[in-house]
Amino acid sequence: MQQASHKSIIISEVLDSRTRNLVTVSRISDYVLSNELVSMALAMVAEDKQINRVLEELFAAKGNEMCIRPAEFYLHDQEELCFYEIMLRGRERREIVIGYRTLGSEKAVINPPNKLERRRWSIHDVFVIIWGDVQTESEGVE
């Protein structure tokens, strides 16, 4: 078996929240606390039944999906834009830009409150998007 390089990315599924401390001392790059994810989804649906449609779409095997895209898909380095302008550029690509994470930040900003505030973006920033194969009824949605 080949050894993983020090640059390998390892993502682990953690079922027991008590294991979270082990993850921090291991060489695991990131983890998904799947039981916590399910609990959060159930809580969202309990609070607002309509959110179930959104979750079904995002977690379905086919359809739209959420992912991270590099800033270079939407802008030039140090370009000054507001988030709304980036959303429009995403729309041209048939994507929905819903948030961003700047270089050095640990957390993404989802649905920024002031979308018209202009700022200088780095080519190292990333954007959170929803995209997928969009079919119209005439194309035969399954």
Side-chain angles (χ1 to χ4, degrees):
M1 186 159 110
Q2 290 182 324
Q3 288 221 332
S5 76
H6 67 283
K7 293 182 181 180
S8 297
I9 296 174
I10 300 172
I11 300 176
S12 176
E13 178 182 18
V14 176
L15 296 174
D16 188 344
S17 61
R18 295 172 294 182
T19 312
R20 187 184 312 205
N21 292 338
L22 289 175
V23 171
T24 59
V25 297
S26 68
R27 294 191 65 184
I28 295 175
S29 306
D30 209 348
Y31 67 95
V32 174
L33 194 55
S34 55
N35 288 340
E36 191 173 296
L37 186 62
V38 170
S39 296
M40 289 188 314
L42 287 173
M44 286 190 297
V45 171
E47 190 173 308
D48 182 358
K49 303 268 187 260
Q50 292 181 342
I51 198 74
N52 194 42
R53 288 184 181 171
V54 175
L55 294 176
E56 282 177 350
E57 180 65 33
L58 291 175
F59 294 128
K62 291 184 177 182
N64 293 320
E65 56 187 78
M66 191 180 309
C67 68
I68 304 292
R69 289 260 197 258
E72 65 191 29
F73 281 43
Y74 309 99
L75 52 89
H76 302 288
D77 197 25
Q78 300 303 308
E79 188 172 2
E80 189 172 310
L81 299 167
C82 67
F83 186 76
Y84 182 73
E85 291 170 308
I86 293 168
M87 291 172 61
L88 291 175
R89 290 182 182 187
R91 181 183 282 184
E92 292 171 2
R93 298 173 48 85
R94 298 185 65 143
E95 299 170 346
I96 302 169
V97 182
I98 62 169
Y100 64 89
R101 189 183 75 216
T102 57
L103 178 67
S105 297
E106 294 214 5
K107 292 188 175 188
V109 176
I110 305 297
N111 191 20
N114 191 353
K115 293 172 183 59
L116 296 175
E117 181 180 328
R118 297 182 74 75
R119 59 166 297 190
R120 197 168 300 281
W121 299 91
S122 166
I123 201 73
H124 302 291
D125 297 335
V126 294
F127 292 96
V128 182
I129 63 134
I130 296 175
W131 74 284
D133 293 328
V134 180
Q135 293 182 331
T136 62
E137 289 182 30
S138 63
E139 291 175 314
V141 175
E142 293 181 30

